[in-house]
Amino acid sequence: MKGEIVKALVKAGCIKFGKFKLSSGRESHVYVDLRTLYSRPEELRVVIGELARLVENLGAEYVCGVETSGIPLASIIAYELGKPMIYVRKRPKEHGTSRLIEGAPESGHTAVVVDDVSTTGSSLARAVVALRSAGMVVEDAVVVVDRQENCLERLSELGVRLHSLVTLKELLGSLRSSKVEDRG
């Protein structure tokens, strides 16, 4: 199924090459931009289908998105699975309720944290800490692409398992293989 995920991401124009600054502050020659996926319903269905199967198998009661990129993914997954959705802001809202967690989280219930791409894991870790502070149980985080830049280790320190549909290494390897096959 990884091949189908790679095809969907490529077809949706999610993989970009050049010089990019990542949210971690690091520079990279590859940028994975899942925001273009929402304009491509066919490819979005492929990715959401796999994410929903993965989240369902984890058995969490809530689906939690990480602001901002994880929110649309978590929304669609929660809708597909009929589960409540919540999301964690980067910082508490400065007006109204001043909440860090939006939705109706319930202490003692389990949540899986969802984001688009993991790099160092700081956004995912921040969400885990916020949810646990609200009394929720978090043991799993799910991303579409893991860049394998210490997120796994960071989450492991919190006792959280990281699940990805594909790693950046697998994605680039698949792209290289398909270019070789196209030439053959």
Side-chain angles (χ1 to χ4, degrees):
M1 191 35 117
K2 287 185 190 283
E4 294 303 312
I5 297 299
V6 170
K7 284 180 191 173
L9 296 178
V10 169
K11 191 172 180 184
C14 297
I15 315 306
K16 301 183 183 343
F17 296 94
K19 187 175 180 182
F20 304 97
K21 185 174 182 180
L22 304 177
S23 61
S24 65
R26 296 180 185 172
E27 285 191 0
S28 176
H29 68 282
V30 181
Y31 187 66
V32 182
D33 182 7
L34 264 66
R35 289 167 185 87
T36 62
L37 192 59
Y38 305 111
S39 298
R40 303 294 299 263
E42 186 176 316
E43 290 75 28
L44 179 61
R45 276 189 206 92
V46 171
V47 173
I48 290 295
E50 281 306 299
L51 284 172
R53 274 188 277 288
L54 178 54
V55 168
E56 186 171 39
N57 289 336
L58 295 173
E61 298 162 292
Y62 281 75
V63 180
C64 176
V66 176
E67 185 184 19
T68 62
S69 300
I71 294 173
L73 291 172
S75 297
I76 300 167
I77 294 165
Y79 176 81
E80 288 290 318
L81 298 177
K83 293 184 181 285
M85 183 265 189
I86 55 179
Y87 69 90
V88 176
R89 293 178 173 277
K90 291 178 182 175
R91 62 191 66 79
K93 195 163 88 171
E94 294 181 9
H95 60 282
T97 59
S98 302
R99 289 187 185 148
L100 180 59
I101 302 171
E102 295 291 354
E106 293 185 46
S107 183
H109 288 256
T110 58
V112 59
V113 179
V114 177
D115 207 355
D116 61 345
V117 178
S118 64
T119 305
T120 63
S122 60
S123 297
L124 289 165
R126 190 170 40 253
V128 168
V129 170
L131 292 169
R132 287 179 174 170
S133 293
M136 297 197 81
V137 177
V138 183
E139 297 175 342
D140 297 285
V142 173
V143 296
V144 178
V145 179
D146 177 14
R147 292 185 63 95
Q148 297 181 301
E149 295 183 27
N150 297 321
C151 181
L152 180 67
E153 295 79 5
R154 186 175 212 154
L155 292 181
S156 291
E157 291 170 3
L158 294 172
V160 175
R161 294 176 294 265
L162 177 64
H163 309 270
S164 65
L165 297 186
V166 65
T167 65
L168 183 60
K169 183 177 180 179
E170 291 168 332
L171 182 59
L172 295 176
S174 183
L175 288 174
R176 280 187 211 103
S177 294
S178 65
K179 285 184 181 183
V180 170
E181 291 170 12
D182 288 346
R183 288 185 211 143

